[in-house]
Amino acid sequence: MFLLPAMVYFFILVIYPIFGSFWVSFHAWNGTTFQCSDGRSLKDLGAEEICRRIPKMTWVGLENYERFFEKSPRDLERLKDFWMSWLKGEAPRFPRLSVETKVLLNNIIWLALFPLSIPMGLAFALLLNQSPTWVRLTKSLFFFPFVLSPAVIGFVFQYFYDPNGPLEGIYNYLGWGSGIIGDQSKATYGIIVAGWYPQVAYCMIIYLAGLTAIEPEQVEAARLDGAKGFTLLYKIILPQLWPATFIALVVTMIGALRSFDLVQVMTGGGPGRGSSDVLARYMYQKTLFDQDYGYGATLAVILFLIMLVFISIFIKQIISRESGR
C-alpha cells in the first residue's frame, strides 16, 4: 500500500509512455491531427457537440524502422572502402553518409570516449583523498562543475572553442581556421571534451565515497609487505573500488547515450548536416520541428533498446553479486 502511489506515478510517467512510443513508431503522424474516438472527423461535430479526441495516425508498420536503416548498407560499404584505402597508405576523402549513419557513428564515438572520464575521476579522487588541509578545501572546487547547468557548460566551452577566443594562437599554428566545433570532423570530439568537465566531477565524488569504505588495515598490511605505488593501487585499492567503478561506468554509458543538451547548445547537430548529431537530439529535431512524430518515436525506441542493453547488464551484475553473498 505504501508503494502504490509511487507505482501509479511510475506506470503513468514511464511504463505507459514507453509502450506509447512503440505504438506511435508504427504509424505516420504529424502531431497535430486528431479525430473523435468513434472515428468521426472533428469537422463533423456540431456547435455544442464534444467527443474524446485521439490522434489521427496512419498505420505504416515497420516502414519507419526501414527508413532509418535504409541507407545503412550503402554507408557501410562506403566506410569499408574508405578504411581499406586508408590502410593502403592512400589519403581518401571521408565518404558522404546519411544523417542516420552519422548519428549512430557519433553515438558510438560517445560510448567509446565518454567513459574516459572514469579514470580521470579516479585520479582526482586519489589526489583529493590525501590529508593536507589545502586538498580538503579544494574538494568543493573540483565538484563545482557537476552542479553547473549543462547549458552553462555548453556556452562556456562554445566561447572557449571560438576561433577568435583563447585558443586562437593554437588554431593558427595548426591551421584550424574553423576551430573545433566549427569543423565537421572535430565537432563531436570537442563536445565530448566539454562533457568530460562535469562527468569527471561526478565520477570523482563516487570514488571519494568508495575510498572511505576501503579498510585501512589492508592498505597498511600491504605497505608493510612492500606494496606501493601502482602495485598497491592495482592489487588492493582498485578491487575494493569495484562497486564504485561499476556504478560510474553504467551512469557514464547511459549519459553518453543521452547526450542531448551539450550537442543542442554548442552545435545544434552541426556544422553541416548531422555532423555532430546524436540519437537524442535527432529525435528532438524530427519530432518537434519536422513534426514527424512517428519517425521521432522510432528514434526513441531505438535509443531505448540500446540503453536497455546496458541496463540489463547492470541488473545482471547486481543479481549476481547479491546471489554470491
PDB file of all heavy atoms in Angstrom, residues 112-133:
ATOM      1  N   ALA A 112      32.568   5.277 -26.784  1.00  0.00           N
ATOM      2  CA  ALA A 112      33.979   4.887 -26.709  1.00  0.00           C
ATOM      3  C   ALA A 112      34.808   5.876 -25.904  1.00  0.00           C
ATOM      4  O   ALA A 112      35.720   5.467 -25.162  1.00  0.00           O
ATOM      5  CB  ALA A 112      34.548   4.752 -28.125  1.00  0.00           C
ATOM      6  N   LEU A 113      34.520   7.168 -26.013  1.00  0.00           N
ATOM      7  CA  LEU A 113      35.387   8.190 -25.423  1.00  0.00           C
ATOM      8  C   LEU A 113      34.857   8.781 -24.118  1.00  0.00           C
ATOM      9  O   LEU A 113      35.648   9.169 -23.259  1.00  0.00           O
ATOM     10  CB  LEU A 113      35.611   9.330 -26.432  1.00  0.00           C
ATOM     11  CG  LEU A 113      36.322   8.952 -27.730  1.00  0.00           C
ATOM     12  CD1 LEU A 113      36.524  10.184 -28.604  1.00  0.00           C
ATOM     13  CD2 LEU A 113      37.661   8.280 -27.447  1.00  0.00           C
ATOM     14  N   PHE A 114      33.546   8.841 -23.967  1.00  0.00           N
ATOM     15  CA  PHE A 114      32.998   9.463 -22.753  1.00  0.00           C
ATOM     16  C   PHE A 114      33.410   8.724 -21.480  1.00  0.00           C
ATOM     17  O   PHE A 114      33.641   9.360 -20.445  1.00  0.00           O
ATOM     18  CB  PHE A 114      31.473   9.545 -22.863  1.00  0.00           C
ATOM     19  CG  PHE A 114      30.845  10.536 -21.926  1.00  0.00           C
ATOM     20  CD1 PHE A 114      31.262  11.854 -21.906  1.00  0.00           C
ATOM     21  CD2 PHE A 114      29.809  10.152 -21.080  1.00  0.00           C
ATOM     22  CE1 PHE A 114      30.676  12.777 -21.050  1.00  0.00           C
ATOM     23  CE2 PHE A 114      29.218  11.059 -20.225  1.00  0.00           C
ATOM     24  CZ  PHE A 114      29.654  12.376 -20.208  1.00  0.00           C
ATOM     25  N   PRO A 115      33.515   7.378 -21.481  1.00  0.00           N
ATOM     26  CA  PRO A 115      33.958   6.678 -20.263  1.00  0.00           C
ATOM     27  C   PRO A 115      35.382   7.000 -19.823  1.00  0.00           C
ATOM     28  O   PRO A 115      35.787   6.586 -18.735  1.00  0.00           O
ATOM     29  CB  PRO A 115      33.827   5.194 -20.648  1.00  0.00           C
ATOM     30  CG  PRO A 115      32.785   5.160 -21.702  1.00  0.00           C
ATOM     31  CD  PRO A 115      33.018   6.415 -22.489  1.00  0.00           C
ATOM     32  N   LEU A 116      36.169   7.718 -20.648  1.00  0.00           N
ATOM     33  CA  LEU A 116      37.492   8.137 -20.190  1.00  0.00           C
ATOM     34  C   LEU A 116      37.406   9.069 -18.991  1.00  0.00           C
ATOM     35  O   LEU A 116      38.407   9.292 -18.301  1.00  0.00           O
ATOM     36  CB  LEU A 116      38.250   8.825 -21.339  1.00  0.00           C
ATOM     37  CG  LEU A 116      38.656   7.926 -22.517  1.00  0.00           C
ATOM     38  CD1 LEU A 116      39.346   8.747 -23.591  1.00  0.00           C
ATOM     39  CD2 LEU A 116      39.565   6.795 -22.045  1.00  0.00           C
ATOM     40  N   SER A 117      36.221   9.605 -18.746  1.00  0.00           N
ATOM     41  CA  SER A 117      36.040  10.444 -17.554  1.00  0.00           C
ATOM     42  C   SER A 117      36.170   9.629 -16.270  1.00  0.00           C
ATOM     43  O   SER A 117      36.431  10.196 -15.206  1.00  0.00           O
ATOM     44  CB  SER A 117      34.673  11.126 -17.604  1.00  0.00           C
ATOM     45  OG  SER A 117      33.629  10.160 -17.662  1.00  0.00           O
ATOM     46  N   ILE A 118      36.010   8.299 -16.369  1.00  0.00           N
ATOM     47  CA  ILE A 118      36.088   7.457 -15.170  1.00  0.00           C
ATOM     48  C   ILE A 118      37.512   7.407 -14.619  1.00  0.00           C
ATOM     49  O   ILE A 118      37.725   7.691 -13.425  1.00  0.00           O
ATOM     50  CB  ILE A 118      35.536   6.052 -15.471  1.00  0.00           C
ATOM     51  CG1 ILE A 118      34.060   6.140 -15.843  1.00  0.00           C
ATOM     52  CG2 ILE A 118      35.736   5.126 -14.269  1.00  0.00           C
ATOM     53  CD1 ILE A 118      33.443   4.824 -16.263  1.00  0.00           C
ATOM     54  N   PRO A 119      38.538   7.037 -15.409  1.00  0.00           N
ATOM     55  CA  PRO A 119      39.894   7.070 -14.847  1.00  0.00           C
ATOM     56  C   PRO A 119      40.340   8.473 -14.445  1.00  0.00           C
ATOM     57  O   PRO A 119      41.106   8.623 -13.482  1.00  0.00           O
ATOM     58  CB  PRO A 119      40.759   6.512 -15.985  1.00  0.00           C
ATOM     59  CG  PRO A 119      39.944   6.638 -17.214  1.00  0.00           C
ATOM     60  CD  PRO A 119      38.525   6.493 -16.781  1.00  0.00           C
ATOM     61  N   MET A 120      39.871   9.504 -15.147  1.00  0.00           N
ATOM     62  CA  MET A 120      40.221  10.858 -14.740  1.00  0.00           C
ATOM     63  C   MET A 120      39.591  11.195 -13.394  1.00  0.00           C
ATOM     64  O   MET A 120      40.224  11.824 -12.529  1.00  0.00           O
ATOM     65  CB  MET A 120      39.773  11.867 -15.810  1.00  0.00           C
ATOM     66  CG  MET A 120      40.600  11.816 -17.084  1.00  0.00           C
ATOM     67  SD  MET A 120      40.227  13.162 -18.246  1.00  0.00           S
ATOM     68  CE  MET A 120      38.692  12.546 -18.965  1.00  0.00           C
ATOM     69  N   GLY A 121      38.333  10.767 -13.199  1.00  0.00           N
ATOM     70  CA  GLY A 121      37.693  10.976 -11.907  1.00  0.00           C
ATOM     71  C   GLY A 121      38.393  10.222 -10.793  1.00  0.00           C
ATOM     72  O   GLY A 121      38.531  10.725  -9.672  1.00  0.00           O
ATOM     73  N   LEU A 122      38.871   8.996 -11.097  1.00  0.00           N
ATOM     74  CA  LEU A 122      39.622   8.222 -10.106  1.00  0.00           C
ATOM     75  C   LEU A 122      40.917   8.925  -9.738  1.00  0.00           C
ATOM     76  O   LEU A 122      41.288   8.978  -8.554  1.00  0.00           O
ATOM     77  CB  LEU A 122      39.914   6.833 -10.670  1.00  0.00           C
ATOM     78  CG  LEU A 122      40.813   5.932  -9.831  1.00  0.00           C
ATOM     79  CD1 LEU A 122      40.193   5.662  -8.469  1.00  0.00           C
ATOM     80  CD2 LEU A 122      41.103   4.626 -10.553  1.00  0.00           C
ATOM     81  N   ALA A 123      41.598   9.479 -10.718  1.00  0.00           N
ATOM     82  CA  ALA A 123      42.863  10.180 -10.443  1.00  0.00           C
ATOM     83  C   ALA A 123      42.630  11.370  -9.524  1.00  0.00           C
ATOM     84  O   ALA A 123      43.380  11.575  -8.560  1.00  0.00           O
ATOM     85  CB  ALA A 123      43.494  10.626 -11.761  1.00  0.00           C
ATOM     86  N   PHE A 124      41.590  12.157  -9.791  1.00  0.00           N
ATOM     87  CA  PHE A 124      41.291  13.300  -8.935  1.00  0.00           C
ATOM     88  C   PHE A 124      40.867  12.839  -7.537  1.00  0.00           C
ATOM     89  O   PHE A 124      41.214  13.476  -6.534  1.00  0.00           O
ATOM     90  CB  PHE A 124      40.193  14.161  -9.554  1.00  0.00           C
ATOM     91  CG  PHE A 124      40.684  15.094 -10.621  1.00  0.00           C
ATOM     92  CD1 PHE A 124      40.332  14.893 -11.940  1.00  0.00           C
ATOM     93  CD2 PHE A 124      41.506  16.170 -10.313  1.00  0.00           C
ATOM     94  CE1 PHE A 124      40.789  15.741 -12.937  1.00  0.00           C
ATOM     95  CE2 PHE A 124      41.963  17.027 -11.297  1.00  0.00           C
ATOM     96  CZ  PHE A 124      41.603  16.818 -12.615  1.00  0.00           C
ATOM     97  N   ALA A 125      40.122  11.736  -7.470  1.00  0.00           N
ATOM     98  CA  ALA A 125      39.689  11.232  -6.166  1.00  0.00           C
ATOM     99  C   ALA A 125      40.887  10.791  -5.324  1.00  0.00           C
ATOM    100  O   ALA A 125      40.952  11.070  -4.120  1.00  0.00           O
ATOM    101  CB  ALA A 125      38.719  10.069  -6.354  1.00  0.00           C
ATOM    102  N   LEU A 126      41.851  10.107  -5.950  1.00  0.00           N
ATOM    103  CA  LEU A 126      43.050   9.688  -5.220  1.00  0.00           C
ATOM    104  C   LEU A 126      43.856  10.894  -4.767  1.00  0.00           C
ATOM    105  O   LEU A 126      44.446  10.892  -3.674  1.00  0.00           O
ATOM    106  CB  LEU A 126      43.910   8.783  -6.113  1.00  0.00           C
ATOM    107  CG  LEU A 126      43.300   7.416  -6.466  1.00  0.00           C
ATOM    108  CD1 LEU A 126      44.163   6.697  -7.489  1.00  0.00           C
ATOM    109  CD2 LEU A 126      43.125   6.566  -5.213  1.00  0.00           C
ATOM    110  N   LEU A 127      43.876  11.944  -5.596  1.00  0.00           N
ATOM    111  CA  LEU A 127      44.592  13.162  -5.225  1.00  0.00           C
ATOM    112  C   LEU A 127      43.921  13.860  -4.049  1.00  0.00           C
ATOM    113  O   LEU A 127      44.588  14.279  -3.096  1.00  0.00           O
ATOM    114  CB  LEU A 127      44.656  14.105  -6.423  1.00  0.00           C
ATOM    115  CG  LEU A 127      45.213  15.511  -6.152  1.00  0.00           C
ATOM    116  CD1 LEU A 127      46.690  15.438  -5.757  1.00  0.00           C
ATOM    117  CD2 LEU A 127      45.023  16.401  -7.374  1.00  0.00           C
ATOM    118  N   LEU A 128      42.597  13.964  -4.095  1.00  0.00           N
ATOM    119  CA  LEU A 128      41.867  14.703  -3.069  1.00  0.00           C
ATOM    120  C   LEU A 128      41.608  13.879  -1.817  1.00  0.00           C
ATOM    121  O   LEU A 128      41.053  14.400  -0.846  1.00  0.00           O
ATOM    122  CB  LEU A 128      40.534  15.194  -3.638  1.00  0.00           C
ATOM    123  CG  LEU A 128      40.634  16.179  -4.811  1.00  0.00           C
ATOM    124  CD1 LEU A 128      39.257  16.572  -5.291  1.00  0.00           C
ATOM    125  CD2 LEU A 128      41.422  17.416  -4.400  1.00  0.00           C
ATOM    126  N   ASN A 129      41.976  12.598  -1.841  1.00  0.00           N
ATOM    127  CA  ASN A 129      41.794  11.759  -0.655  1.00  0.00           C
ATOM    128  C   ASN A 129      42.966  11.868   0.308  1.00  0.00           C
ATOM    129  O   ASN A 129      43.021  11.153   1.294  1.00  0.00           O
ATOM    130  CB  ASN A 129      41.614  10.292  -1.074  1.00  0.00           C
ATOM    131  CG  ASN A 129      41.005   9.455   0.021  1.00  0.00           C
ATOM    132  OD1 ASN A 129      40.027   9.829   0.643  1.00  0.00           O
ATOM    133  ND2 ASN A 129      41.598   8.286   0.266  1.00  0.00           N
ATOM    134  N   GLN A 130      43.899  12.757   0.000  1.00  0.00           N
ATOM    135  CA  GLN A 130      45.043  12.950   0.874  1.00  0.00           C
ATOM    136  C   GLN A 130      44.636  13.777   2.096  1.00  0.00           C
ATOM    137  O   GLN A 130      43.571  14.365   2.154  1.00  0.00           O
ATOM    138  CB  GLN A 130      46.179  13.644   0.109  1.00  0.00           C
ATOM    139  CG  GLN A 130      46.536  12.978  -1.206  1.00  0.00           C
ATOM    140  CD  GLN A 130      46.970  11.539  -1.013  1.00  0.00           C
ATOM    141  OE1 GLN A 130      47.751  11.224  -0.118  1.00  0.00           O
ATOM    142  NE2 GLN A 130      46.461  10.650  -1.872  1.00  0.00           N
ATOM    143  N   SER A 131      45.508  13.844   3.052  1.00  0.00           N
ATOM    144  CA  SER A 131      45.189  14.504   4.320  1.00  0.00           C
ATOM    145  C   SER A 131      45.476  15.991   4.391  1.00  0.00           C
ATOM    146  O   SER A 131      44.925  16.654   5.267  1.00  0.00           O
ATOM    147  CB  SER A 131      45.948  13.807   5.463  1.00  0.00           C
ATOM    148  OG  SER A 131      47.349  13.798   5.174  1.00  0.00           O
ATOM    149  N   PRO A 132      46.340  16.588   3.547  1.00  0.00           N
ATOM    150  CA  PRO A 132      46.628  18.015   3.704  1.00  0.00           C
ATOM    151  C   PRO A 132      45.372  18.880   3.696  1.00  0.00           C
ATOM    152  O   PRO A 132      44.382  18.584   3.010  1.00  0.00           O
ATOM    153  CB  PRO A 132      47.516  18.323   2.495  1.00  0.00           C
ATOM    154  CG  PRO A 132      48.175  17.028   2.174  1.00  0.00           C
ATOM    155  CD  PRO A 132      47.152  15.984   2.488  1.00  0.00           C
ATOM    156  N   THR A 133      45.420  19.962   4.462  1.00  0.00           N
ATOM    157  CA  THR A 133      44.248  20.831   4.609  1.00  0.00           C
ATOM    158  C   THR A 133      43.862  21.477   3.291  1.00  0.00           C
ATOM    159  O   THR A 133      42.673  21.600   2.972  1.00  0.00           O
ATOM    160  CB  THR A 133      44.543  21.922   5.652  1.00  0.00           C
ATOM    161  OG1 THR A 133      44.933  21.306   6.884  1.00  0.00           O
ATOM    162  CG2 THR A 133      43.304  22.775   5.889  1.00  0.00           C
TER     163      THR A 133
END
